[in-house]
Each structure stands twice: as C-alpha cells, then as structure tokens.
Amino acid sequence: MTTLVSATVPACEIALADVFASLSDVDIEAERIVEGGDDIVMPLLWIRNADRDEFEAACAGDPTVDEIELLADFETELLYRMQWIDQVGLLLQMLTNANASILEAVGKNGTWHLRILYPSREQLAETKTFCSEHELSLTINAIREMDGEPSGRYGLTTGQYQALVTAVNAGYFAVPSDITLNELADEMNISHQALSERLRRGIHALIEDTLLLDFAESNE
C-alpha cells in the first residue's frame, strides 16, 4: 500500500549545512527537485529571511553547491536554481530507493524536513535499513497509509472528513453562516461538543497536511 512519510534529516547529511550555519534565520523550500542527468541534482529553491548577497556568499562557501542561478527576486523571497554535487544526488536516490518520490523538502535551522511518498512499506523499510547501515540520521516523524479514501489523502480521520464536508455543503462556513453549529450537530445526529471538536481537529489536521510540511497523526 502506498505510504506517505514525514521525516527529518540533518542538513550536514544532505545539502546546504554551511548555508544554514552562516544564515541562522534562513528558510529554504524546494519548489521541486529534479535530476539533471549523470546524478546531478538541480533543485528550484525558495529562499526566505535572507539577503541576496549574503545568501549567495554563503552558497559560494558551501561544498554541496556547484552552481547557483537567481530566477526571481520578490523582495521578501528569492527563487534560485541550484546544482548540487553528485554525492547529494546519489544520497537522495538512496534515501528514496529510486521508486519513491520526495514531495516536499523544507530546510530550517540546519535540518531538512521531508515528505516522501513510497509505493509500499517494503521500500520504506529498505530506506530505514540503508540509513541504519550508513549511520544516517533519518528520523521518521509520521507514517500514513494512503488507502484511497479522501480522508486518508489529507490527514483526516473519516469522522473529521465527513464533518467538514457536511459543514461546507450545509453552508456552515458561509458568511453569514447558513446553519448554526447546534443545527448542524442535530442534522448529523451527534452532540454539539463532539461536532465542535471534530471540526477543530479536522481543520488543524487539514492545515498541517496541506499548508505546513509537518503533520500530526490525529486521534478522535
């Protein structure tokens, strides 16, 4: 079964450790990571909380960076295309077993936060074995099986998914609201308190799973 994993890896074991050390406040988010052939990795990276000159100087001193090209400057964030050294490409391939995909990668405070999609638990087990054998500090923060249900794809329990969909269809989130929480609870045949908690937890899980990298396994 397809498995979605949230994990962290120290930057010193992947890329840009020296950049994070030089610029303590920098946030780096991968727009996408692509293979450029011959094991070359060419990520598109959004850079936040860093001056352009300081960031480029830090990259010049980082041994994992081969080339860097500024694509866009939006004042509050910069978009770069980088070329990482071959060793980084090989490491990323081994981390994902070539069959898995890195969906998201965010770097902050010397740590890369990854979201990786594996075709099955077996590929994830291979990654964990590889990391153990090579003393890589891959920390698994959350694992979710993608069972094909809409709730599973967005980090929601079935109850949270049903509550949110019912609330939207009933106009609960409209401005002004078309239905009160009590009325919605009566329609769903659950208590006011249970529905309130289900909606709050569902919204929290949905935001974490779509807007933030890290997401929490929710219990209801």
Side-chain angles (χ1 to χ4, degrees):
M1 181 178 294
T2 304
T3 302
L4 184 64
V5 173
S6 174
T8 54
V9 182
C12 61
E13 297 182 5
I14 296 186
L16 302 183
D18 287 2
V19 170
F20 288 115
S22 300
L23 306 172
S24 58
D25 294 329
V26 69
D27 289 348
I28 302 177
E29 180 180 356
E31 176 74 16
R32 64 178 181 270
I33 299 177
V34 298
E35 295 291 335
D38 298 325
D39 298 323
I40 296 173
V41 180
M42 302 178 65
L44 298 183
L45 302 177
W46 289 101
I47 311 302
R48 304 181 180 94
N49 301 328
D51 174 78
R52 174 182 173 180
D53 292 336
E54 292 178 346
F55 178 74
E56 292 182 359
C59 287
D62 192 301
T64 58
V65 180
D66 265 354
E67 296 180 11
I68 182 172
E69 177 186 1
L70 178 67
L71 300 181
D73 184 345
F74 296 101
E75 295 185 358
T76 59
E77 56 185 6
L78 307 165
L79 178 62
Y80 282 93
R81 176 167 48 227
M82 285 188 183
Q83 180 173 311
W84 285 343
I85 62 173
D86 295 356
Q87 181 180 351
V88 178
L90 291 172
L91 176 58
L92 290 177
Q93 286 182 15
M94 287 183 284
L95 282 176
T96 59
N97 302 309
N99 293 318
S101 301
I102 296 179
L103 303 181
E104 292 181 278
V106 174
K108 185 174 183 180
N109 297 326
T111 300
W112 282 102
H113 302 260
L114 307 176
R115 181 173 291 173
I116 307 173
L117 188 66
Y118 287 92
S120 70
R121 281 275 190 151
E122 286 71 22
Q123 278 83 7
L124 172 58
E126 291 174 9
T127 293
K128 294 170 69 175
T129 298
F130 169 83
C131 290
S132 177
E133 291 175 347
H134 293 79
E135 299 182 349
L136 295 176
S137 304
L138 179 71
T139 300
I140 304 296
N141 300 315
I143 300 174
R144 191 170 75 247
E145 303 293 351
M146 306 291 284
D147 58 8
E149 294 297 323
S151 56
R153 290 198 294 271
Y154 297 106
L156 303 170
T157 66
T158 300
Q160 291 165 358
Y161 174 79
Q162 292 174 345
L164 287 168
V165 170
T166 301
V168 169
N169 290 336
Y172 175 71
F173 293 110
V175 180
S177 180
D178 295 332
I179 189 172
T180 68
L181 188 64
N182 283 328
E183 292 170 340
L184 186 61
D186 289 341
E187 182 177 307
M188 297 184 64
N189 197 30
I190 60 176
S191 70
H192 168 280
Q193 181 65 25
L195 177 58
S196 177
E197 292 180 0
R198 193 171 297 181
L199 289 173
R200 287 201 304 272
R201 291 175 179 173
I203 291 171
H204 178 78
L206 188 60
I207 290 173
E208 284 190 323
D209 203 50
T210 56
L211 301 182
L212 305 177
L213 180 63
D214 296 322
F215 60 93
E217 291 180 325
S218 54
N219 297 307
E220 186 164 330

